[in-house]
């Protein structure tokens, strides 16, 4: 097994399931850290700040520097700052997105934005959706943190950000730009910031349609784990295959 410089872990279904750590993943991360390799964490979850994710991982006995945590909110803010400097943004999202936008010193407005940034908002209102529909019809660009349609939990599936983004798209007819996996922006920011080559990077995740496809499309190696959304047996039927499979990360210790 090759050694990589940048191990990029998905979080939910890969490192933990809800509030419960996945012990084999924790052991593998400890093993990497003991060799002086500090992994990255790459999540589509836009709700939480780096600090909140850092705290959650700390409870699972994982000590992780904040700058190793990449969320679709952070990537959205960095994308806007890089590609649309000096443009104004209306934010529909929770603290993770609001704080990421503020950290890039992007000007936030409530009227006539140049850009609408949309992330999952659990207290979303009809009025808020209505307003961004008008903004986009008036010319604002529509940027979505991620396109996940549904979020698995113990009850079944809950609506994900992508379901609300599609609702807005149905009204405006304007195609949104998606930042989260399977789009490459989070991996690209990590590669840019730390100076890796693609050959140095491995994407590890449980969800074929996001984690594995982002790695394949971006051109880096991928490892599918069978601890979350997509079962290994289903991945094996796909045309584009991950580089590696593991039932759990114990196989990699
Ligand atoms: Mg996952």
């Amino acid at each position: 097994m090759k050694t990589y410089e940048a191990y990029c872990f998905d979080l939910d279904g890969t490192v933990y399931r809800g509030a419960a750590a996945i012990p084999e993943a924790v052991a593998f991360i400890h093993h990497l850290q003991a060799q002086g390799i500090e992994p990255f964490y790459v999540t589509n979850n836009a709700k939480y700040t780096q600090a909140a994710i850092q705290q959650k991982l700390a409870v699972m006995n994982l000590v992780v520097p904040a700058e190793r945590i990449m969320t679709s909110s952070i990537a959205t803010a960095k994308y806007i700052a890089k590609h649309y400097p000096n443009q104004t943004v209306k934010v529909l999202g929770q603290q993770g997105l609001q704080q990421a936008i503020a950290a890039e010193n992007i000007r936030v407005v409530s009227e006539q934005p140049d850009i609408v940034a949309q992330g999952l908002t659990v207290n979303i209102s009809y009025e808020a959706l209505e307003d961004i529909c008008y903004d986009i019809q008036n010319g604002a660009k529509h940027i979505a943190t991620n396109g996940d349609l549904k979020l698995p939990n113990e009850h079944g599936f809950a609506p994900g950000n992508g379901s609300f983004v599609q609702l807005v798209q149905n009204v405006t007819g304007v195609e949104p730009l998606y930042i989260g996996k399977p789009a490459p922006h989070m991996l690209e920011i990590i590669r840019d910031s730390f100076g890796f080559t693609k050959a140095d990077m491995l994407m590890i995740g449980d969800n074929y349609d996001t984690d594995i496809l982002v790695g394949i499309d971006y051109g880096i190696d991928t490892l599918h784990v069978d601890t979350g959304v997509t079962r290994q047996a289903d991945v094996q039927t796909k045309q584009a295959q991950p580089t590696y499979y593991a039932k759990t990360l114990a196989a990699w210790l």
Side-chain angles (χ1 to χ4, degrees), residues 45-53 71-77 91 93-103 119-120 145:
N45 190 319
K47 277 163 55 182
Y48 300 114
T49 61
Q50 267 174 334
I53 293 170
T71 70
S72 63
S73 281
I74 294 167
T76 296
V91 180
Q94 293 187 208
Q95 224 199 342
L97 184 56
Q98 291 168 10
Q99 205 180 90
I101 295 275
L120 185 61
T145 55

Side-chain angles (χ1 to χ4, degrees), residues 65-119:
E67 69 272 13
R68 298 275 163 160
I69 299 169
M70 175 57 61
T71 70
S72 63
S73 281
I74 294 167
T76 296
K78 287 187 183 298
Y79 184 93
I80 291 170
K82 180 177 176 184
H83 295 276
Y84 303 110
N86 306 317
Q87 296 208 357
T88 60
V89 175
K90 180 186 278 189
V91 180
L92 182 58
Q94 293 187 208
Q95 224 199 342
L97 184 56
Q98 291 168 10
Q99 205 180 90
I101 295 275
E104 297 295 327
N105 295 313
I106 294 164
R107 208 170 121 227
V108 174
V109 295
S110 53
E111 305 282 329
Q112 296 181 302
D114 299 314
I115 295 166
V116 168
Q118 184 177 4

Side-chain angles (χ1 to χ4, degrees), residues 40-235:
F40 292 84
Y41 303 88
V42 180
T43 179
N44 272 6
N45 190 319
K47 277 163 55 182
Y48 300 114
T49 61
Q50 267 174 334
I53 293 170
Q54 203 177 20
Q55 269 176 8
K56 178 170 181 169
L57 291 170
V59 171
M60 298 169 179
N61 201 20
L62 289 171
V63 178
V64 173
E67 69 272 13
R68 298 275 163 160
I69 299 169
M70 175 57 61
T71 70
S72 63
S73 281
I74 294 167
T76 296
K78 287 187 183 298
Y79 184 93
I80 291 170
K82 180 177 176 184
H83 295 276
Y84 303 110
N86 306 317
Q87 296 208 357
T88 60
V89 175
K90 180 186 278 189
V91 180
L92 182 58
Q94 293 187 208
Q95 224 199 342
L97 184 56
Q98 291 168 10
Q99 205 180 90
I101 295 275
E104 297 295 327
N105 295 313
I106 294 164
R107 208 170 121 227
V108 174
V109 295
S110 53
E111 305 282 329
Q112 296 181 302
D114 299 314
I115 295 166
V116 168
Q118 184 177 4
L120 185 61
T121 312
V122 297
N123 58 354
I124 199 161
S125 70
Y126 182 88
E127 288 77 9
L129 288 165
E130 185 184 2
D131 278 348
I132 64 169
C133 286
Y134 299 143
D135 293 329
I136 294 161
Q137 288 168 79
N138 286 327
K141 288 175 272 294
H142 187 193
I143 299 184
T145 55
N146 61 306
D148 300 59
L149 294 174
K150 53 189 188 176
L151 306 174
N153 64 28
E154 65 270 35
H155 308 292
F157 292 104
N161 189 50
S163 291
F164 297 101
V165 173
Q166 285 195 1
L167 182 157
V168 173
Q169 181 183 3
N170 289 341
V171 177
T172 62
V174 173
E175 180 138 9
L177 171 72
Y178 290 101
I179 298 294
K181 299 172 282 189
H185 304 289
M186 293 195 284
L187 293 175
E188 181 67 13
I189 290 167
I190 290 172
R191 188 168 77 99
D192 252 20
S193 320
F194 289 82
F196 298 121
T197 65
K198 289 185 180 180
D200 298 331
M201 300 174 74
L202 176 70
M203 181 71 216
I204 304 168
D206 66 295
N207 186 329
Y208 180 83
D209 295 317
T210 54
D211 306 318
I212 302 306
L213 282 186
V214 72
I216 292 171
D217 290 349
Y218 190 55
I220 67 173
D221 285 351
T222 53
L223 164 58
H224 178 263
V225 289
D226 216 6
T227 49
V229 169
T230 319
R231 296 272 76 93
Q232 185 172 313
D234 296 320
V235 178

